[in-house]
Amino acid sequence: DQRHTLQPITEVKYKPGRGSERASTYGSEEPRSNTAFSWSPPDLSPGKEWHIQRMRNLRHAASFFPDTQAIIRDGIIKLERHRKNYDQEGLNPHRLQLLWWEFPPIHWEALKDGTRQNFLAKPPHSIQPNATMDGDMTQAAANFVDELMDLGVIDNIDEGLTILSNAPLFVVPKPGQEGQWRVITDALRGGQNSCVGQDPVFLPRIGHILDQICTQAATRRW
């Protein structure tokens, strides 16, 4: 098997809890600067390289479905909506849009049509009130919900349907940001947590990740 390894970059010493100090040597390159991160999007205009590639990928993915032309037409609308979330300066979200055909084929149908939450049993029919919040907390929660609705992440219930259960909201202060609140849904109190399956999550070792993303030889000494 061809393996990718890393070129040494810097020397790091750390103390992983108790025990003797360990050292990791990654070469003699100059220390990294503290230059601020900067990024700007490519030209997303129709006819430009980025847009041409997205359209090529859309047509390829749509060819695997019986309603190919309808999927392409719908994809063009989604692509236009996605482009409007960026301007010359970078990210400027208006209405979030997932480009399902840019993902591996195994996920196309689920991302294209949408999937339900992985409930193994029906959640209890119970409406739980939100946690007790003062004026600032309530305003923070309301602003957050409004923002999600503007972005298309959540929406009002369809006419004629009835809400049977909910996940109530509560807020916690953001560390180091006085007066700022993080809004959280309480799926435990809402009953949803007890009805979903636990999706297995594989957490690779850092060495495995580096072997896949680096193309030059590396040596590691611990």
Side-chain angles (χ1 to χ4, degrees), residues 111-131:
L111 294 174
K112 179 175 70 69
D113 300 332
T115 57
R116 294 180 178 273
Q117 192 169 354
N118 187 22
F119 287 125
L120 299 180
K122 290 184 178 180
H125 294 179
S126 175
I127 303 299
Q128 298 292 333
N130 293 327

Side-chain angles (χ1 to χ4, degrees), residues 42-55:
D43 191 339
L44 309 184
S45 304
K48 299 299 183 179
E49 181 180 354
W50 183 91
H51 194 276
I52 292 173
Q53 186 60 53
R54 302 290 80 72
M55 286 299 302

Side-chain angles (χ1 to χ4, degrees), residues 207-220:
H208 296 164
I209 298 175
L210 295 176
D211 286 344
Q212 295 181 44
I213 66 174
C214 300
T215 59
Q216 298 180 348
T219 58
R220 288 193 292 261

Side-chain angles (χ1 to χ4, degrees), residues 8 14 17 19 24 48 55 65 84 90 102 108 111 123-124 130 145 153 184 195 199 205 220:
Y14 65 98
S24 174
K48 299 299 183 179
M55 286 299 302
F65 296 90
K84 291 181 178 179
E102 296 298 322
W108 282 349
L111 294 174
N130 293 327
V145 172
V153 177
I184 303 174
C195 301
D199 294 331
R205 294 178 179 273
R220 288 193 292 261

Side-chain angles (χ1 to χ4, degrees), residues 3-215:
R3 302 197 173 192
H4 300 302
T5 49
L6 282 175
Q7 283 285 9
I9 19 185
T10 185
E11 182 176 281
V12 180
K13 293 184 178 180
Y14 65 98
K15 293 182 178 180
R18 297 182 180 178
S20 60
E21 185 176 56
R22 301 182 181 182
S24 174
T25 303
Y26 288 93
S28 57
E29 199 173 283
E30 290 295 324
R32 297 179 181 179
S33 66
N34 293 324
T35 303
F37 174 78
S38 177
W39 175 83
S40 58
D43 191 339
L44 309 184
S45 304
K48 299 299 183 179
E49 181 180 354
W50 183 91
H51 194 276
I52 292 173
Q53 186 60 53
R54 302 290 80 72
M55 286 299 302
R56 184 181 295 119
N57 294 346
L58 171 60
R59 294 189 183 95
H60 171 73
S63 68
F64 289 88
F65 296 90
D67 49 347
T68 299
Q69 293 305 314
I71 289 178
I72 291 176
R73 288 193 296 271
D74 181 68
I76 292 174
I77 295 173
K78 287 180 166 59
L79 182 57
E80 179 64 18
R81 186 181 299 140
H82 176 81
R83 292 196 310 113
K84 291 181 178 179
N85 288 312
Y86 299 87
D87 57 26
Q88 294 181 348
E89 301 298 324
L91 183 63
N92 184 21
H94 296 284
R95 190 80 173 176
L96 300 188
Q97 178 60 60
L98 188 72
L99 302 182
W100 59 267
W101 60 88
E102 296 298 322
F103 289 80
I106 192 175
H107 302 302
W108 282 349
E109 189 165 358
L111 294 174
K112 179 175 70 69
D113 300 332
T115 57
R116 294 180 178 273
Q117 192 169 354
N118 187 22
F119 287 125
L120 299 180
K122 290 184 178 180
H125 294 179
S126 175
I127 303 299
Q128 298 292 333
N130 293 327
T132 301
M133 294 182 275
D134 63 22
D136 290 341
M137 296 176 181
T138 301
Q139 188 61 55
N143 291 343
F144 181 69
V145 172
D146 288 343
E147 181 182 6
L148 293 182
M149 294 191 70
D150 290 340
L151 292 174
V153 177
I154 60 176
D155 204 349
N156 289 315
I157 188 172
D158 292 338
E159 186 177 355
L161 299 180
T162 302
I163 298 176
L164 300 177
S165 64
N166 71 314
L169 299 180
F170 67 97
V171 299
V172 295
K174 292 185 177 181
Q177 302 181 52
E178 185 177 356
Q180 299 296 311
W181 302 94
R182 178 170 288 112
V183 184
I184 303 174
T185 56
D186 191 350
L188 177 62
R189 191 155 62 93
Q192 293 82 16
N193 280 3
S194 61
C195 301
V196 297
Q198 295 184 355
D199 294 331
V201 177
F202 174 69
L203 299 177
R205 294 178 179 273
I206 184 64
H208 296 164
I209 298 175
L210 295 176
D211 286 344
Q212 295 181 44
I213 66 174
C214 300
T215 59

